[in-house]
Amino acid sequence: MKIKVNEVELDVTPGTSVIDAVFAAGHDVPYFCSQEYMSPIGACRMCLAKIGAPRKDRATNDWILDEETGEPKIFWFPNPMATCTTQVMEGMVVDTISKDVKKAQNAMVEFTLVNHPLDCPTCDKGGACELQDRAYEYGSGESRFVFDKRHQEKHHALSELITLDRERCIHCKRCVRYFEEVPGDEVLDFIERGGHTYIGTLEDGLPSPFTGNITDICPVGALLDTTSRFRGRNWEYHHTDTTSLDDPSGAALRIDTRTGRIERIKAGLNDDVNKTWIDDGTRFGHEYADAEDRITRPMVRRDGTLVETTWADAAREIAERIAGMDGTRIGIALRGDATLEEGVAAKALADHLGSGRLDTAPRPAASVLPDGAAATLRDVATSDALFVVGDPTEEAGIVDLRIKDALKGVEPAPLFPHGPAIADLRLKERMPRKREILTICAPYRTDLMKHAGQAHVPPATSMVDLLHALAERASATVDGGTPSGAWDDALGMTAAEADALITRMRSSTRGVMIWSAFVSNDPRADEAARTFAKSVGAKTLILGPMANTAGLERISVLPSHDRYDYASMFTPETKALFLASLDPAVDPKVADRLRELDLLVVHAAFPTATSALADVVLPAVTGYEKDGTTLNVEGRLLPVRAAPVEAGTATDFTGVVKQLGEAFGTRLEGRSVKSARRVLRKLLDVDAAELPTTGQPLPPVRGKASGARAVREYARATGDALIVPSMVRVEHLDRNPHLRAERGDAALRAHPATLHAHGLTSGDVVTLPIGGIPRQLRVTASEGVPEGLWLAPTLPEQPVGLYDANLAAMVRERSATAEVA
Amino acid sequence: MSILNVAKGMGVTLSHLFKKPVTVQYPEEKAQIQARFRGRHHLLRHPDTGLEKCIGCSLCAAACPAYAIYVEAAENDPDDPTSAGERYASIYEINMLRCIFCGFCEEACPTGAVVLGHEFELADFRYDHFVYGKEDMLVGVKGSKWQRREAERKGGEVELGFQAGPRPELEGVDY
C-alpha cells in the first residue's frame, strides 16, 4: 500500500497505523498513550497530523481526479487526526511538519501541562520523562497558565512497591490498559471524570505478580518504583543491559546502578522473549545484592574461627589441604543459575582434580532439554492449543505472559525499522480471549487457571499416574485407534476431558505442551509427558528450576556417573567439597555430614548456615554482577553482563578457578570469562562475546538429550507437603525488605479446613520440618489448595516436589493473634 | 633607550612613594571583598520556616563542569520535614579541591539553595578535609573546616580574614 508522509513515499502493509508509517518514513510525531504491545486508544490526542486521502467516485468507482494535474485528488480531513488510531489507506498523504500541525501539537502540549505540576527537579522520572521531552520538542517554552493547578494526593502507595503521584497523571490510560491486556489482572481503573479523573484501585494493593511494568510505561512520573524512590536522577545511573538470572525465561533487564549500588531494575526490550515486560520477583528482588552483610573478602578458618585473608592465601590453603587427596572424593556443586562460563570453569577444576563428582543443584531427575520439536516463546505466543502442566507464573513469569498473548490470538507484528509497532491496530481494549485453547493441570489452583478454558487439579499424589494415563491414551489413539483399558476418573480428569484434550492438541497445527519441575523431577512423569507431546504432535517447552539449568546440562556440567551426583556429596565417600552459592546445611542431617568433611570450601555472597561450617569461604558475586552467558527456557543463548556493584574482591566461579589454578601451579581452562568462552566456542560453535543483547537461538540437540540422567527420587508419589515454585526467591527474602513487605513472608499455604483441623490460623508463624529441612513459614489459608495438602515455596536446596511434612514436630513460633495484640 | 626614558620611569616610582599604599596587610588586616566575588558555597534555608531550600534534585551536580558535587536524596518525614516538599538532600557534598568556583551550580539550582559566598580561606591539610558536607555549608556555619577546627581548639570565635558587603541572594549569611 503506497502512502506519502511529508513527501517521503513508502510502501506499507495494509492495517498499519499511520503513526508507524510516519516513524517508518523517518519522521516523528509526539505521543503519550500509545505503547508497543498494547492497544492504541487515542487518549492523549498528542499524535496529531494532517491526513488526506484520495476518494473514489461512487457512481463510476474511479478515483476522483484533480482537474489541473490529472492525479487523484487529495481530500483532507477537516481536522487534525490522531495518527495512532488511524489506519493507512491507499494513496494517503500525511503531513506532520506544516505550521497547522505544529500549532495543534503545541496546543496539546500546553493542554496536557495545564494540570501537570512543574516539580521536575524532585521527580524520579525527570531526565527520562516522555512529557518533559515532548514539552521541550513541541512545547512553546513558556506557560500562559497562571491559575492554581489541580491538587491531588502526591504520594499514594498503590502497593509497597509502587508509589502513585496523582497530580502528575496525564490520563494516558497506559497502566489501566496494561493490567487488562498484558497480565489480565484488572486491578487499576480510572475513577471520577474529566479533570478530576484519577487512577485507583478498589482492592487492597495491586494483587498481580506483574505490577512493576507500569512504572516503566508511565510516560510521566506518576507511577514510580518505591525501591528506587529518590535514590538518584536518571542521568546519574549507570545502565547495564543484561539478562535476568532470576528465572529460566531469560528476560532482558536494564540494571541502573549508582556509586556501586543497584538502585533499580527496569525491563529491557527483547521482542522474542519478554517484549518489554518482567515479573515483580525479577524487578524488585534486587535489594539483597546491596545488603550490609555481604562477604567481600576470602575467609579461612584458623583455630575454629573464620578470619579474613587474601585470595592467594585462601587458594594456597585449599591447594595444601587437597594435595594428595583422592580426586574422586572431591565434590564440586554449582547452583543452577551459574553462567555457562562458570560451568566450564567448574568442569576444568573437576578435570584437574580428577573428580567426576560435579553437579548443579537443583537439577531435576530428568533432562530439561527437549528431545523432539522444541517450542520457542514465540511458538507459545502464537499457539492454538496449549497444555500446561505446572505453574509457569511462579516458575518463569514471562512464559505466563506469552501464554496470555496466545489467548488474544494476535500474531506478533513484524518489527519496523523503529522497533515494535507503536500502535498495533489489531489489539483492542478488552479483547475477547480464546480461553478454550488453554488447558492447565496442576496439583493446586494456580494463578493462570483463571484464564484457562479447562483447569484440572488432580490430587498431588496422582499427577504422575494421570500423565501416564494421558500418554497411554494419546499413544493408543495415534492412528485413530480406540483407547483400551479403563480410565480412572479419580486421577483428576474424566475420560471425556482427556479425550477432548487429546483431540484438541492433535487437531491443532501449533500445539505446545509446557511442563516444569513437577514433571521433570520424576523421570516416569517426564517420560509420560514426552510421549504425550510426541503422540499428539505438540512442540515442548520445559521450564528448568533455575535460570541456566538447561544450559549447564547442555554443556554437560554433570556427574561422570549417576552415583557421583549432588546427593552423593553428602555421603562419607566425599572428603572435600566445593559449594558455589548453595546452602545445603539448612538440612540438619546434611550439616552434620558437612562437619565431618576434611575440607569444605564455600563460594557465597552472603553468610549462610553452610558458610558457618566452612573451612574456606570465598566471596561470590550475585547474578547481577556476572559476565557470562545463559541459555533460557527456549534454548536461546543470552548475554549476562556485569553491573558495577561494590562487592570487595568477590568474583564469579571463573575467578575461583583462576586463583586455585595459580595455587596449583597450572593454567586451567575457564580461568577467566575469556578463557571459558574459548571452550564454549568449541562446544557450541558460538562466540559468546559477540552475542547481541537479544540473544541468539542455539540449534536444539538432535535426538535424545545428551548427558547423564541421574535418577534421583526427589519427588515421590506420596507425601503431604508439596514444595511449589516461587517467583519470589525465598532465600533472598530477608534481604529484600520492599518485596517482603508486599509479598509477605514465605507462606505455608493450606486449605482453611486443613488449618482448622490442626488448630492453626492464617498469620501464625510456624517451623515445620518438610523432608527433613525445618522451614519457618507463615501460615496462609488458601481455598485453592486441596484439603490435607501443605504448600511451601521452593529453596535451591529443596526442589519442587512432594515431601513428608513432619506435622508432629511443627513448632508454632508466633501466633497471629498475639502479633495483632 | 635614552637616559630620558629612564628618568621618566624613576619619576613614576618616585611619585608613588608619596601615595597611600593599596596593599592590605592580610591577615593582620581584614580584606574588603567585592560583592561580585565568588567563594565557598552556602546552603540556604527558607528564612520564615527554617526549612532547607535544597530539595536534593542533583541539578547542581549535573551542571558542575568539574564533577565536584555529590548529592543523595531521601524522602522527608512529613511530621518533621527537612525541606519543603517530599524530597531533601540526605547527603550534599562539594569537593573544594575540584571546585572551580564557576557558579554553574548556583545558576542551575531551581530553589536558590546553593549560593557561592565570599569565603576563600579554604586551605587545609588532608584531602578529605576539602570535602564539604551539609554540616559545613548550611547557613549559619561560619568559616572553613580548618578555621572552625582552630576556633574550637582555641575556644574562640571563627575569625574571617575579610569583610564583605551584603548580597541579596545570600539570604541569612552573616560575615
Side-chain angles (χ1 to χ4, degrees), chain A residues 121 155 229-230 233 236 258, chain B residues 57-58 62 71 73 75 86-87:
Chain A
H155 39 103
R229 189 164 160 81
F230 298 154
R233 305 311 305 274
E236 293 172 335
R258 187 183 176 213
Chain B
C57 72
S58 242
V71 185
E75 189 163 1
E86 292 176 273
R87 180 180 179 132

Side-chain angles (χ1 to χ4, degrees), chain A residues 690-707:
Chain A
E690 298 294 318
L691 277 179
T693 305
T694 50
Q696 174 184 334
L698 198 61
V701 197
R702 291 274 155 241
K704 204 81 176 156
S706 64

Side-chain angles (χ1 to χ4, degrees), chain A residues 376-583:
Chain A
T376 61
L377 289 169
R378 188 170 280 264
D379 288 333
V380 173
T382 54
S383 171
D384 56 356
L386 284 158
F387 180 33
V388 177
V389 186
D391 189 356
T393 317
E394 296 290 336
E395 296 186 288
I398 299 310
V399 175
D400 167 281
L401 294 182
R402 299 315 297 257
I403 291 171
K404 287 166 180 164
D405 279 350
L407 302 186
K408 284 194 220 163
V410 175
E411 298 244 335
L415 291 184
F416 284 98
H418 58 271
I422 295 165
D424 185 345
L425 292 166
R426 298 166 306 163
L427 296 171
K428 302 272 187 285
E429 263 194 296
R430 308 187 71 84
M431 281 180 91
R433 306 294 155 91
K434 298 189 290 173
R435 292 161 60 94
E436 66 282 0
I437 69 166
L438 176 61
T439 305
I440 304 182
C441 182
Y444 55 96
R445 263 205 86 77
T446 64
D447 190 53
L448 192 56
M449 280 185 183
K450 62 177 184 258
H451 298 276
Q454 304 82 31
H456 304 285
V457 184
T461 45
S462 70
M463 275 286 288
V464 180
D465 294 329
L466 174 64
L467 280 172
H468 249 270
L470 275 174
E472 246 171 54
R473 210 169 174 89
S475 316
T477 54
V478 165
D479 305 310
T482 45
S484 59
W487 178 270
D488 184 3
D489 284 353
L491 291 175
M493 203 188 264
T494 64
E497 285 169 339
D499 287 337
L501 171 66
I502 292 166
T503 317
R504 201 167 52 72
M505 294 297 288
R506 188 167 284 150
S507 60
S508 77
T509 50
R510 301 188 301 275
V512 176
M513 181 171 175
I514 300 170
W515 72 79
S516 60
F518 288 118
V519 176
S520 302
N521 273 337
D522 191 309
R524 213 163 68 88
D526 172 75
E527 200 190 321
R530 283 173 199 261
T531 311
F532 180 85
K534 203 169 284 173
S535 58
V536 298
K539 289 185 173 181
T540 56
L541 189 78
I542 309 173
L543 314 182
M546 284 248 158
N548 201 19
T549 306
L552 294 167
E553 186 186 331
R554 178 77 185 258
I555 60 163
S556 300
V557 183
L558 294 167
S560 62
H561 192 281
D562 286 351
R563 62 193 163 80
Y564 288 163
D565 72 352
Y566 183 59
S568 83
M569 296 184 193
F570 312 112
T571 59
E573 276 176 55
T574 309
K575 290 276 175 228
L577 203 49
F578 291 83
L579 291 173
S581 305
L582 286 161
D583 185 20

Side-chain angles (χ1 to χ4, degrees), chain A residues 126-277:
Chain A
C129 172
E130 291 178 43
L131 179 57
Q132 212 178 26
D133 291 348
R134 296 300 95 80
Y136 272 113
E137 293 164 6
Y138 297 92
S140 62
E142 61 190 64
S143 176
R144 294 186 292 163
F145 189 79
V146 291
F147 313 100
D148 202 20
K149 296 198 178 201
R150 168 190 60 172
H151 284 294
Q152 281 184 331
E153 215 174 337
K154 285 296 278 181
H155 39 103
H156 174 79
L158 271 184
S159 73
E160 297 287 341
L161 301 168
I162 293 168
T163 310
L164 167 64
D165 185 322
R166 287 189 167 137
E167 285 187 359
R168 292 184 190 145
C169 177
I170 59 164
H171 308 149
C172 71
K173 214 184 177 188
R174 275 188 189 173
C175 50
V176 175
R177 278 181 291 148
Y178 164 80
F179 273 118
E180 195 275 321
E181 292 175 22
V182 181
D185 303 314
E186 291 180 71
V187 294
L188 265 190
D189 210 341
F190 279 149
I191 301 174
E192 299 224 28
R193 303 182 60 164
H196 305 287
T197 312
Y198 64 93
I199 300 294
T201 173
L202 288 178
E203 293 162 64
D204 190 18
L206 296 174
S208 167
F210 302 96
T211 61
N213 293 321
I214 59 173
T215 65
D216 282 353
I217 60 176
C218 184
V220 293
L223 292 159
L224 294 167
D225 178 344
T226 306
T227 62
S228 70
R229 189 164 160 81
F230 298 154
R231 292 300 313 165
R233 305 311 305 274
N234 285 292
W235 57 85
E236 293 172 335
Y237 290 132
H238 182 281
H239 309 297
T240 309
D241 288 316
T242 179
T243 303
S244 166
L245 285 178
D246 212 50
D247 66 42
S249 55
L253 299 184
R254 168 167 274 201
I255 302 178
D256 286 351
T257 43
R258 187 183 176 213
T259 54
R261 274 176 58 93
I262 298 180
E263 299 296 11
R264 69 172 174 206
I265 287 182
K266 303 185 85 167
L269 169 70
N270 191 343
D271 189 58
D272 291 316
V273 180
N274 62 317
K275 308 214 280 192
T276 53
W277 318 124

Side-chain angles (χ1 to χ4, degrees), chain A residues 282-411:
Chain A
T282 307
R283 183 187 298 267
F284 300 111
H286 63 77
E287 287 178 289
Y288 77 94
D290 304 309
E292 291 292 314
D293 59 345
R294 271 196 77 158
I295 300 170
T296 53
R297 295 191 63 200
M299 289 184 280
V300 173
R301 193 170 294 279
R302 306 235 188 266
D303 306 321
T305 50
L306 286 168
V307 288
E308 286 197 347
T309 179
T310 60
W311 270 94
D313 187 44
R316 198 164 48 238
E317 172 89 13
I318 296 167
E320 276 168 18
R321 290 177 69 166
I322 58 171
M325 202 182 271
D326 178 3
T328 59
R329 310 194 73 171
I330 303 172
I332 302 166
L334 295 181
R335 198 166 66 186
D337 57 1
T339 60
L340 294 179
E341 283 79 355
E342 289 181 289
V344 168
K347 254 168 74 172
L349 179 62
D351 286 347
H352 176 78
L353 298 173
S355 162
R357 221 179 277 274
L358 166 71
D359 207 348
T360 65
R363 183 165 65 86
S367 169
V368 292
L369 297 177
D371 51 7
T376 61
L377 289 169
R378 188 170 280 264
D379 288 333
V380 173
T382 54
S383 171
D384 56 356
L386 284 158
F387 180 33
V388 177
V389 186
D391 189 356
T393 317
E394 296 290 336
E395 296 186 288
I398 299 310
V399 175
D400 167 281
L401 294 182
R402 299 315 297 257
I403 291 171
K404 287 166 180 164
D405 279 350
L407 302 186
K408 284 194 220 163
V410 175
E411 298 244 335

Side-chain angles (χ1 to χ4, degrees), chain A residues 579-619:
Chain A
L579 291 173
S581 305
L582 286 161
D583 185 20
V586 291
D587 184 344
K589 276 211 287 299
V590 172
D592 287 342
R593 180 56 216 127
L594 292 176
R595 282 191 195 94
E596 292 162 22
L597 287 171
D598 291 346
L599 174 68
L600 174 60
V601 181
V602 173
H603 184 227
F606 298 98
T608 59
T610 311
S611 74
L613 304 173
D615 299 301
V616 181
V617 178
L618 304 172

